[in-house]
Amino acid sequence: MSYSLQLYTLRDAIAEDLPGTIRRVADIGYTQVEPYNFVALAPELGAALKENGITAPSGHAPLLSQDQDEIFAAAKELGITTVIDPFLPAEHWQDAEDIQSTAATLNAAAKKGAECGIRVGYHNHAWELESTIEGQTALEYFETLLDPEVVLEVDTYWVAVGGQDPVELLTRLGDRVRLIHIKDGPATTDTKAQQPAGKGTIPVLDVIAAATSLEVGVVEFDDYSGDVFEGIAESLRFLTAAASVQAAEGTASGEARA
């Protein structure tokens, strides 16, 4: 499992200076990013990523509402292999028929994406967890309707805001979850209160451990009241330090068994 950075976190800096922002991301130590709105940004973003040795294994684009051919073409240009629809408003998650329609649209997008060698997924907010359909959360009902090749990127912070335990949800969703958004804070809708990983109420390390088929953990702040570059650096330090401790414990355990 590796770590990435959702570039929406740095949207203001990107608007002012995209190449300089990507350079700072690389200097902090990130080697992967998750672009947003990448159709519009593809040429300049691609050049900046290449210059700084950064890859983009996943990216956010509105597959459910915009031109999929254009999205997949831009994804190929950037080397993105998983395109994730990031947002469908709360009104689409209130009844079974709407969710069935959404699943059918995403399944069709996945078939088109597969022709380009691109996988398709969906990213949640709180409302998919706040709504209940047939005795389960709307997100879990949605998951049962998806074709096997479609993946989920679970935003574990918004799961908590939506009233669910992210560890328990990830356990129930199992192999469907291949990416997660890692963020921390008080688990409220006040996005400016979000904190670097390890500083809030989300059990970040337990969350990561619960996603047993996880490929990429994506650091994100929806907003941040401090210096956002310091925030993303602190999150990465926490995650890499935890990984180092885990690796050391694993080595020690292996030596003890030997």
Side-chain angles (χ1 to χ4, degrees), residues 30 195-197 219 221 230-240:
Y30 286 92
Q195 294 293 315
V219 172
F221 291 86
E230 291 181 4
I232 64 173
E234 189 171 350
S235 284
L236 186 60
R237 285 194 298 269
F238 171 81
L239 294 168
T240 53

Side-chain angles (χ1 to χ4, degrees), residues 233-258:
E234 189 171 350
S235 284
L236 186 60
R237 285 194 298 269
F238 171 81
L239 294 168
T240 53
S244 296
V245 169
Q246 186 178 41
E249 290 175 347
T251 300
S253 176
E255 291 174 349
R257 288 196 300 271

Side-chain angles (χ1 to χ4, degrees), residues 88-99 124-142 158-159 161-164 169 172:
L88 202 60
E91 60 265 26
H92 294 271
W93 300 96
Q94 304 309 310
D95 65 69
E97 287 188 2
D98 281 348
I99 297 171
N124 66 281
H125 286 79
W127 42 79
E128 298 94 337
L129 290 310
E130 293 168 337
S131 177
T132 301
I133 306 294
E134 298 184 5
Q136 56 191 326
T137 67
L139 183 65
E140 290 172 276
Y141 177 72
F142 179 59
W158 285 115
V159 167
V161 174
Q164 295 291 318
L169 179 73
R172 295 197 299 269

Side-chain angles (χ1 to χ4, degrees), residues 157 182-186 190-201 204 219-221 223-226 231 234-235:
Y157 191 81
I182 298 170
K183 60 183 77 164
D184 210 342
D190 179 7
T191 55
K192 282 191 174 296
Q194 290 178 7
Q195 294 293 315
K199 296 292 186 180
T201 63
V204 172
V219 172
E220 184 188 34
F221 291 86
D223 210 337
Y224 189 52
S225 60
E234 189 171 350
S235 284

Side-chain angles (χ1 to χ4, degrees), residues 16-121:
E16 292 182 6
D17 179 8
L18 188 152
T21 299
I22 298 302
R23 191 176 310 115
R24 290 187 69 178
V25 168
D27 289 344
I28 287 169
Y30 286 92
T31 60
Q32 299 181 120
V33 296
E34 184 175 75
Y36 69 100
N37 190 30
F38 59 78
V39 172
L41 299 174
E44 186 180 12
L45 178 59
L49 296 181
K50 184 177 181 180
E51 180 179 344
N52 290 281
I54 293 178
T55 60
S58 61
H60 279 193
L63 287 167
L64 294 168
S65 60
Q66 293 187 16
D67 188 319
Q68 294 174 1
D69 291 328
E70 189 177 37
I71 289 170
F72 291 135
K76 289 193 72 173
E77 181 180 345
L78 292 168
I80 293 170
T81 54
T82 302
V83 174
I84 298 160
D85 191 289
F87 179 88
L88 202 60
E91 60 265 26
H92 294 271
W93 300 96
Q94 304 309 310
D95 65 69
E97 287 188 2
D98 281 348
I99 297 171
Q100 291 164 13
S101 177
T102 298
T105 302
L106 198 61
N107 288 337
K111 289 180 172 59
K112 181 175 286 190
E115 296 173 1
C116 305
I118 293 172
R119 187 172 61 175
V120 161

